[in-house]
Amino acid sequence: MEVFDTIARLIDLRSFSNLWYWIALAAVWSSASHWVLGVPWDMVIRARRKGGEAAEDLAAMTALNARRLNRIRRDAGFSMSISIPFMLSFLLITGFIYGSETAQAFALLLVPMIGVFGLSLRLAHKLDADPALAHDPTLAIKALSRHRVNVQAIGVVAIIVSALWGMYQNLLASMLV
């Protein structure tokens, strides 16, 4: 039995005291900040610095990803408008009313990401509604830059809230032991 106790203490399946949760949180927000509307951020930087063919590629990829997101919204919008609130309600109720730390961790990860997805859908709709916005490299760079700042702001708030809630949960768990 001593081996199992040692392994259980080493792995620690509670979410907020688990290193893997914090690695996943950092990876999710790093990825969300890098892939702005499906366009890699290094492509935006290259288009801003060099212009020319890099800027044309950026404008083409921005327009393509905007159409792709709008197609997803049109094709799966109804099912997403039902399933996403159901999933989030389940996580929030299970986590914060019934006290499941795993559900709290997923909720603190997914709720802000749904907000980012909503912002991406709004930008995609704006780009698709005004083709000049998506096909003009300088306007596309401005739109993607503004969107990235919004994503990073949501990410900073989400990480701070997750860290504070995780510290609270860890303190609460250590006081109960």
Side-chain angles (χ1 to χ4, degrees):
M1 284 312 238
E2 191 175 311
V3 172
F4 291 117
D5 290 336
T6 305
I7 291 173
R9 264 184 287 174
L10 236 139
I11 294 175
D12 194 8
L13 297 175
R14 290 186 13 251
S15 298
F16 295 112
S17 62
N18 195 331
L19 179 64
W20 292 109
Y21 173 75
W22 299 106
I23 291 172
L25 185 72
V28 162
W29 285 110
S30 174
S31 178
S33 178
H34 178 71
W35 291 92
V36 182
L37 200 69
V39 178
W41 186 248
D42 60 296
M43 191 175 192
V44 176
I45 292 172
R46 193 174 309 110
R48 185 183 294 153
R49 283 188 192 149
K50 294 184 179 178
E53 187 179 349
E56 299 290 325
D57 290 346
L58 172 74
M61 190 161 183
T62 302
L64 177 73
N65 282 333
R67 283 195 311 273
R68 185 182 124 263
L69 275 176
N70 282 319
R71 193 172 305 116
I72 289 170
R73 183 181 47 82
R74 276 192 306 273
D75 294 346
F78 180 72
S79 60
M80 285 190 312
S81 68
I82 293 172
S83 61
I84 290 174
F86 174 78
M87 175 189 64
L88 292 179
S89 300
F90 174 78
L91 284 175
L92 291 170
I93 290 169
T94 304
F96 295 101
I97 293 177
Y98 291 110
S100 169
E101 193 173 306
T102 304
Q104 291 172 3
F106 277 116
L108 289 172
L109 193 64
L110 292 178
V111 168
M113 287 306 295
I114 296 299
V116 168
F117 182 64
L119 286 176
S120 296
L121 286 177
R122 189 178 78 179
L123 178 59
H125 179 70
K126 189 188 301 184
L127 290 171
D128 214 22
D130 185 9
L133 185 63
H135 294 291
D136 182 13
T138 57
L139 294 176
I141 289 170
K142 285 181 184 177
L144 292 174
S145 297
R146 199 170 321 121
H147 182 66
R148 184 173 193 239
V149 167
N150 291 335
V151 168
Q152 288 176 330
I154 292 171
V156 166
V157 171
I159 289 170
I160 289 171
V161 168
S162 296
L164 291 173
W165 186 257
M167 284 188 282
Y168 170 73
Q169 289 296 319
N170 288 334
L171 287 172
L172 192 65
S174 68
M175 288 190 314
L176 294 176
V177 174

